[in-house]
Amino acid sequence: MEIKPIAYIKTDFKTKFGIPRQSGRVKSCIGTVVFEKEYRSPDYIKGISEFSHLWLLFDFSEAHKEDLSPTVRPPRLGGNKKVGVFASRSPFRPNFIGISSVALIGTECSKEYGTVLKVTGADLLDGTPIYDIKPYVSYTDSHPDAVCSYADIHKDYKLKVVFLNGCENCLGDYELKILTECLADDPRPSYQEDGKTYGMEMFGKDISFSVKGDTLTVSEIKH
Amino acid sequence: MEIKPIAYIKTDFKTKFGIPRQSGRVKSCIGTVVFEKEYRSPDYIKGISEFSHLWLLFDFSEAHKEDLSPTVRPPRLGGNKKVGVFASRSPFRPNFIGISSVALIGTECSKEYGTVLKVTGADLLDGTPIYDIKPYVSYTDSHPDAVCSYADIHKDYKLKVVFLNGCENCLGDYELKILTECLADDPRPSYQEDGKTYGMEMFGKDISFSVKGDTLTVSEIKH
């Protein structure tokens, strides 16, 4: 089946490194869903404001690759335990479609883009193509007591984030909040390399940090 | 993007009419997920049994049509109120992909199909193509307090089901349970036609029923 994007999302995540691995980890982050021209009639979203949450079906656009492995190594398992691709939310799958539940905070009318949706909790790369938007229906979609294997064990995992020498002062409140949430979620590719300095880009700035134990220390934020 | 089925599902729903409109309405119904040949290595599902629920991304295979309307009339609104297609779970969407959360009851090894998944709550037509299987992760996917507009109002809607003249005696316990759950969910196309006799096929039998008020009466079950 051929599928075509119906929208794309604008977010603060301009590079892949640092994006939370599951939706809703960075709750404060505001994303803007911009519809493709043919879907900009407000009819397409009539009544959507009466839902608090939405599903976005999106393109794992940075993960397209030909050679698929049947197993993946979830970063939350330290990168050394394999699980099947269908037992994981890894982007490297036969069909590159992700699902993400986001909170709808409102709609806005924009001259350039028509009506857009403002959402939070969308941990998606800026410009990610969206294939579908569906209302979240709790009586079918919500299973608060579901058993979730390794995802359960690590759900409360958070790093303590420390900024050295007031380097966070160059950020606004919103930026600081998002960055702190992203860093607390541990953006490192695996959990093996304590002490190594990592670089990451966010809000047009270069952020240098290292991790020791449960503490992530930001040493520098450069323009 | 071109997407290809990775599996299909075998269910008791051989015809479209009578299938519950949302997943999990008919909890007893057991479906079997059969992988396409290239995905039958058990590696692809390694660790899946440690999850209680899964997402199926499936093809609304009976809903493919060219002329898409920006609005739909949800049956739960009596068929006379329009909402935007992106504010509905209607199958008639720009990309014909549905999402359904199902409970995983186990895996089975079959000579013919390799390892298959046994799931409940899959209200899908028999033979529906599956594009992806993802583990359900409650900390990101579950929002029990989400506000769901018209879907909230009608979530407890159930008809009382009555069988005339012991016509249910030709069904086994499992069949009777599934049929009763499907009928209680009101399979009529809209809620306008009280008293009309409807026919529906299930378990290779023809079922005749009518609805008056909150009661659905099955008048006949024929082989």
Side-chain angles (χ1 to χ4, degrees), chain B residues 7-8 37 44 56 65 68 72-73 76 103 108 127 130 137 144 154 157 159-161 164 166 175 180 186 222:
Chain B
Y8 63 92
K37 278 191 184 134
Y44 279 101
L56 303 181
K65 62 174 194 177
L68 176 76
V72 295
R73 299 168 190 265
R76 282 285 177 269
E108 268 179 25
I130 308 288
V137 177
H154 298 277
Y157 177 86
L159 295 174
K160 189 185 161 199
V161 179
L164 284 192
E175 291 176 335
T180 306
D186 198 343
K222 276 196 293 197

Side-chain angles (χ1 to χ4, degrees), chain A residues 81-175:
Chain A
K81 200 186 149 188
K82 287 181 180 177
V83 303
V85 65
F86 298 130
S88 92
R89 298 286 276 254
S90 164
F92 302 105
R93 344 183 42 86
N95 296 304
F96 304 106
I97 303 175
I99 62 173
S100 188
S101 62
V102 297
L104 176 66
I105 52 175
T107 61
E108 267 179 26
C109 233
S110 123
K111 264 197 181 157
E112 199 178 349
Y113 302 118
T115 306
V116 300
L117 307 178
K118 291 284 182 183
V119 299
T120 56
D123 46 1
L124 299 175
L125 197 66
D126 185 49
T128 294
I130 308 286
Y131 291 111
D132 203 359
I133 297 165
K134 299 177 191 287
Y136 186 96
V137 176
S138 61
Y139 77 75
T140 62
D141 298 337
S142 185
H143 307 287
D145 301 324
V147 177
C148 310
S149 185
Y150 57 89
D152 268 341
I153 302 165
H154 299 277
K155 68 180 173 183
D156 298 321
Y157 176 85
K158 289 266 173 212
L159 295 174
K160 189 184 163 199
V161 179
V162 175
F163 294 88
L164 283 192
N165 309 317
C167 66
E168 76 274 29
N169 294 336
C170 66
L171 299 173
D173 287 350
Y174 173 76
E175 291 176 335

Side-chain angles (χ1 to χ4, degrees), chain B residues 161-172:
Chain B
V161 179
V162 174
F163 293 88
L164 284 192
N165 309 319
C167 66
E168 77 274 28
N169 293 337
C170 67
L171 298 173

Side-chain angles (χ1 to χ4, degrees), chain B residues 171-184:
Chain B
L171 298 173
D173 287 351
Y174 173 78
E175 291 176 335
L176 180 58
K177 196 170 174 190
I178 304 289
L179 175 64
T180 306
E181 286 182 40
C182 286
L183 293 173

Side-chain angles (χ1 to χ4, degrees), chain A residues 46-62:
Chain A
K46 186 174 155 65
I48 206 166
S49 304
E50 290 169 48
F51 291 88
S52 63
H53 290 72
L54 302 176
W55 286 107
L56 304 180
L57 273 63
F58 63 92
D59 193 328
F60 282 122
S61 45
E62 294 294 291

Side-chain angles (χ1 to χ4, degrees), chain B residues 1-138:
Chain B
M1 182 163 66
E2 181 73 24
I3 57 174
K4 267 174 51 184
I6 54 108
Y8 63 92
I9 190 164
K10 290 155 85 87
T11 69
D12 290 315
F13 302 116
K14 310 293 180 196
T15 61
K16 204 172 137 193
F17 187 80
I19 299 187
R21 295 189 180 89
Q22 284 301 327
S23 60
R25 299 297 281 181
V26 176
K27 293 207 189 300
S28 330
C29 186
I30 298 172
T32 305
V33 176
V34 176
F35 287 92
E36 297 293 341
K37 278 191 184 134
E38 59 190 299
Y39 301 109
R40 285 187 191 168
S41 152
D43 278 355
Y44 279 101
I45 53 166
K46 186 176 155 62
I48 206 165
S49 303
E50 290 169 47
F51 291 89
S52 63
H53 290 71
L54 302 174
W55 285 107
L56 303 181
L57 273 63
F58 63 91
D59 192 328
F60 281 123
S61 45
E62 294 294 291
H64 290 211
K65 62 174 194 177
E66 292 284 309
D67 53 325
L68 176 76
S69 167
T71 55
V72 295
R73 299 168 190 265
R76 282 285 177 269
L77 294 175
N80 50 24
K81 199 184 149 190
K82 287 181 182 178
V83 303
V85 66
F86 298 128
S88 91
R89 298 286 277 256
S90 163
F92 301 104
R93 345 183 42 86
N95 296 306
F96 303 106
I97 302 174
I99 61 173
S100 187
S101 62
V102 296
L104 175 65
I105 50 174
T107 61
E108 268 179 25
C109 233
S110 118
K111 265 196 182 158
E112 199 178 350
Y113 303 118
T115 307
V116 300
L117 306 178
K118 291 284 180 181
V119 299
T120 56
D123 46 1
L124 300 174
L125 196 66
D126 185 49
T128 294
I130 308 288
Y131 292 111
D132 203 359
I133 297 165
K134 298 176 192 289
Y136 187 95
V137 177
S138 61

